[in-house]
Amino acid sequence: MFNKDATDNSTYNVDNFEFIKKTSPKVGALIEQEYNRQKNNIELIASENYCSEAVLAACGSCLSWKYAEGYPYVRTSGNTSRYYGGTKFVDELEEYCCDLWRQVFDTDYHVNVQPHSGSQANFAAYKAILNPGDTILSLTLDNGGHLTHGSSVNFSGKLYNMEFYDVDANGFIDMEDVRRKALEIKPKLILTGASAYSRIIDFPKFAEIAKEVGAYFMVDMAHIAGLVAGGAHPSPFGYADIVTTTTHKTLRGPRGGLIFARPELAKKVDSAVFPYAQGGPLEHIIAGKAVCAEEALKPEYKEYAHQVVANCAAFCDEFLKMGYDVVTGGTDNHLFLLDLSKFPFSGKDLQDRLDEVGITLNKNCVPNEKRTPKETSGVRIGTAPMTTRGYKEDDFREVARKIDAVVKEMVAEAEAK
């Protein structure tokens, strides 16, 4: 793994670009440049992380060659239901992967490990329980939701009737607004989960409201899944009817998705993934997901998850001490948002300037956003990747001061114009 000083990569065998260059000098060179960027930059993108060498090796294995449309076993007969031969070993692998993920989240939910991404997991989850035109009650993108939670440019906003609950004046999900709108519009599905929300989500209250109005309750835990697995965030299992996630954020696995569902929804979920939304599963990625699950079951993973949260709290607190506005006034998880509305530059401007000095984060909308989504009035900051690289609280406090120095330079430049 890259150490925090980025001076030694001898224990992290991913620099295979020299081998690739023998066949493709251009591709090998680009991979080398990206490798060095990741190695030398301070990585603060909340949706990214560094997976283990074992996960990378599984994803680059001979399983890349294998087609295996269908599922390993028909539950009533125990026979394979693949549409290809030669699937004995990938059948065992996929069943093993499913078993591991139930252990990770201590659940008896059905799990489908085939979704290629979190977006495809959400696409299939909606299909399993909804018809086009059905109403979903969700959190908007501006308030921390995800593109697949109802954005008008996304399939979710085009296929379904989207209604949105709000956050309060402090940026917290307004549970009274959730209940009021649920009673008013009677949605078929109530959805929670976020890509830029820094507080604990009240899963029991959401479940209570969904039950009250006769709606399904779904949680997209893509960002917080690793924290849930490590016991650093409350779990949605037992409350939600369907839970979706990615495996590459706080879980530190390969890029891919998972769907968990109550057992009575298993058949609908499976058929929504295959054959409705996807063809052959990526068995090499499923192998990486299995390795990731094994790692998440180790005691040191729980230590990591709690360190991510502790680091984020310290990082956020340093900005607050320096007088910055933070959406919700703090954080309970792995990320927080700086609100730059009062500054003479946008989130995009700060993102670009920090890129120049080796600090990587991303622009992000804030509640009551006044700028365009391409500019934004905020930046999203996460601690999961650099925690993987060994950063502790004091390291993140130092990074906060480095970012502050850049902000001060940008303010001075704006005032001098």
Side-chain angles (χ1 to χ4, degrees):
M1 187 61 62
F2 306 137
N3 69 6
K4 67 182 181 181
D5 298 318
T7 57
D8 177 27
N9 66 346
S10 60
T11 62
Y12 200 57
N13 186 27
V14 297
D15 51 344
N16 57 354
F17 35 78
E18 294 299 336
F19 175 78
I20 296 170
K21 284 180 183 178
K22 293 177 182 178
T23 297
S24 177
K26 178 67 173 179
V27 172
L30 288 170
I31 293 174
E32 180 178 17
Q33 290 171 47
E34 173 60 13
Y35 172 83
N36 287 326
R37 186 198 67 80
Q38 292 186 22
K39 175 184 173 185
N40 295 313
N41 276 28
I42 295 172
E43 182 58 72
L44 302 177
I45 293 180
S47 54
E48 294 186 2
N49 214 326
Y50 300 95
C51 63
S52 71
E53 190 175 344
V55 169
L56 287 177
C59 293
S61 69
C62 65
L63 294 174
S64 297
W65 306 332
K66 185 61 190 143
Y67 248 115
E69 284 184 346
Y71 291 101
Y73 300 106
V74 177
R75 290 170 182 79
T76 55
S77 67
N79 296 319
T80 185
S81 62
R82 302 289 195 185
Y83 289 81
Y84 286 79
T87 64
K88 172 179 170 55
F89 301 113
V90 293
D91 282 354
E92 292 182 17
L93 170 68
E94 195 167 324
E95 286 290 297
Y96 177 62
C97 186
C98 291
D99 289 341
L100 284 171
W101 283 112
R102 279 186 284 269
Q103 292 178 49
V104 168
F105 293 109
D106 190 24
T107 181
D108 62 354
Y109 280 36
H110 171 71
V111 58
N112 188 305
V113 299
Q114 291 191 5
H116 300 333
S117 69
S119 292
Q120 286 191 259
N122 286 348
F123 181 78
Y126 297 157
K127 172 60 175 68
I129 56 175
L130 301 174
N131 292 312
D134 282 348
T135 299
I136 301 174
L137 180 60
S138 177
L139 182 66
T140 63
L141 192 64
D142 285 358
N143 286 328
H146 187 255
L147 191 69
T148 59
H149 297 178
S151 172
S152 61
V153 299
N154 183 256
F155 74 85
S156 54
K158 293 181 182 298
L159 290 178
Y160 303 102
N161 176 40
M162 300 303 307
E163 299 285 345
F164 300 100
Y165 50 85
D166 290 321
V167 295
D168 63 21
N170 296 313
F172 287 77
I173 292 174
D174 186 340
M175 296 307 300
E176 287 303 314
D177 187 61
V178 175
R179 183 172 185 272
R180 182 169 56 252
K181 287 179 177 171
L183 288 168
E184 177 186 340
I185 66 177
K186 296 293 194 298
K188 185 75 174 291
L189 172 66
I190 296 178
L191 173 68
T192 194
S195 64
Y197 185 70
S198 63
R199 294 299 187 172
I200 297 292
I201 297 175
D202 191 345
F203 299 131
K205 185 63 176 178
F206 267 104
E208 177 186 311
I209 294 170
K211 184 176 181 180
E212 185 177 5
V213 300
Y216 286 109
F217 174 38
M218 175 175 154
V219 174
D220 178 349
M221 66 170 186
H223 264 269
I224 59 170
L227 307 183
V228 173
H233 189 287
S235 173
F237 291 95
Y239 299 106
D241 298 298
I242 295 181
V243 179
T244 61
T245 185
T246 54
T247 50
H248 55 272
K249 297 183 178 77
T250 48
L251 280 170
R252 298 198 296 192
R255 301 191 71 84
L258 304 171
I259 304 175
F260 297 85
R262 294 192 186 276
E264 60 268 26
L265 297 174
K267 187 175 180 180
K268 289 182 177 180
V269 165
D270 285 353
S271 62
V273 175
F274 175 84
Y276 181 79
Q278 297 182 180
L282 306 178
E283 293 295 341
H284 55 302
I285 302 301
I286 289 173
K289 291 174 182 176
V291 176
C292 169
E294 288 180 326
E295 293 172 351
L297 286 166
K298 295 179 179 179
E300 52 266 36
Y301 183 82
K302 290 180 172 56
E303 296 173 9
Y304 163 75
H306 285 276
Q307 188 64 56
V308 167
V309 174
N311 284 343
C312 201
F315 202 3
C316 181
D317 187 57
E318 191 68 16
F319 278 106
L320 290 169
K321 287 178 180 177
M322 292 187 292
Y324 284 84
D325 291 332
V326 173
V327 175
T328 77
T331 179
D332 297 323
N333 56 28
H334 65 300
L335 64 81
F336 59 94
L337 299 177
L338 289 186
D339 187 339
L340 306 172
S341 299
K342 299 176 182 177
F343 286 87
F345 51 81
S346 68
K348 176 65 163 58
D349 294 331
L350 181 56
Q351 172 189 299
D352 291 347
R353 179 63 70 88
L354 289 172
D355 261 340
E356 295 173 6
V357 297
I359 298 175
T360 309
L361 46 66
N362 65 276
K363 66 183 184 295
N364 210 95
C365 291
V366 296
N368 303 308
E369 180 63 67
K370 299 298 190 296
R371 294 186 173 106
T372 70
K374 291 185 177 180
E375 296 174 319
T376 79
S377 297
V379 292
R380 184 182 66 167
I381 299 175
T383 56
M386 295 309 293
T387 303
T388 296
R389 286 174 57 178
Y391 270 43
K392 297 293 176 63
E393 289 92 334
D394 283 345
D395 300 303
F396 282 104
R397 293 186 184 103
E398 182 181 348
V399 175
R401 292 189 289 271
K402 288 181 179 179
I403 293 173
D404 177 58
V406 172
V407 168
K408 284 183 167 64
E409 288 178 359
M410 294 176 70
V411 169
E413 291 170 4
E415 291 175 346
K417 289 183 179 179

